[in-house]
């Protein structure tokens, strides 16, 4: 069942730089802050994100599990470039499904400011929605929406 983004949430970009990468400490801090949801970066372009660079271990599952134990929803976010829409959609679908996420947030910034990017967005969204028809999907961008007037706020 889709959820809405009501309440207070927080973005995590690099798990290893948040509470020293300790999943329980991240979840405890989120609970203490009264967060209803946490958004974790799961992909960048066509690559999975928040993998340990030395071992290749996925750092997201322990954090997601610790957050869920505290009834905090877990969403994934993904910086998209729009140059390989099929590849970006594939990694998004894989990560969301594999991690059992409650939602997915598209971080579209500078690459989507370029002229003619509408078709790239349609291609990406068509593949994403076909594979994840009931998932909450949201659009985000860097800091201030006013920096990105080309996006459909």
């Amino acid at each position: 069942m889709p959820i809405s983004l009501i309440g207070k949430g927080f973005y995590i970009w690099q798990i290893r730089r948040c509470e020293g990468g300790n999943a329980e400490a991240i979840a405890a801090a989120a609970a203490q802050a009264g967060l209803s949801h946490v958004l974790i970066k799961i992909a960048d372009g066509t690559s999975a994100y928040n993998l340990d660079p030395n071992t290749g271990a996925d750092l997201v599952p322990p954090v997601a599990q610790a957050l869920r134990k505290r009834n905090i929803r877990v969403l994934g976010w993904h910086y998209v470039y729009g140059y390989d829409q099929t590849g970006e959609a594939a990694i998004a679908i894989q990560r969301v499904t594999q991690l059992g996420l409650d939602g997915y947030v598209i971080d579209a910034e500078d690459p989507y400011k370029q002229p003619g990017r509408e078709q790239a967005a349609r291609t990406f969204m068509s593949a994403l929605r076909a594979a994840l028809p009931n998932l909450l999907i949201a659009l985000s961008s860097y800091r201030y929406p006013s920096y990105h007037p080309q996006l459909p706020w």
Side-chain angles (χ1 to χ4, degrees):
M1 170 177 19
I3 64 166
S4 61
L5 291 180
I6 295 172
K8 191 165 61 166
F10 186 81
Y11 279 80
I12 295 177
W13 173 29
Q14 298 173 338
I15 289 175
R16 294 182 324 135
R17 296 178 76 185
C18 185
E19 299 294 335
N22 181 298
E24 290 299 324
I26 291 169
Q32 183 176 8
L35 302 183
S36 62
H37 56 279
V38 171
L39 303 97
I40 302 172
K41 186 169 184 180
I42 58 167
D44 188 86
T46 58
S47 301
Y49 198 84
N50 271 312
L51 305 180
D52 185 293
N54 299 316
T55 66
D58 193 343
L59 303 176
V60 178
V63 176
Q65 181 180 10
L67 290 164
R68 287 185 184 118
K69 283 192 319 192
R70 291 168 174 82
N71 294 314
I72 299 171
R73 300 284 186 160
V74 181
L75 294 88
W77 68 274
H78 178 187
Y79 188 97
V80 294
Y81 298 86
Y83 303 116
D84 180 356
Q85 306 89 36
T86 305
E88 288 181 333
I91 195 66
I93 294 161
Q94 175 193 351
R95 297 288 282 156
V96 166
T97 303
Q98 175 186 66
L99 297 165
L101 299 176
D102 297 307
Y104 171 77
V105 177
I106 302 157
D107 180 8
E109 298 184 25
D110 287 331
Y112 275 95
K113 290 182 180 181
Q114 306 308 313
R117 303 306 298 156
E118 297 83 8
Q119 188 55 50
R122 289 182 202 293
T123 300
F124 174 76
M125 285 306 302
S126 293
L128 193 65
R129 187 46 82 196
L132 304 168
N134 299 314
L135 187 74
L136 170 73
I137 298 176
L139 176 63
S140 182
S141 193
Y142 171 74
R143 198 167 181 178
Y144 302 113
S146 61
Y147 286 2
H148 306 284
Q150 299 83 352
L151 296 176
W153 306 112

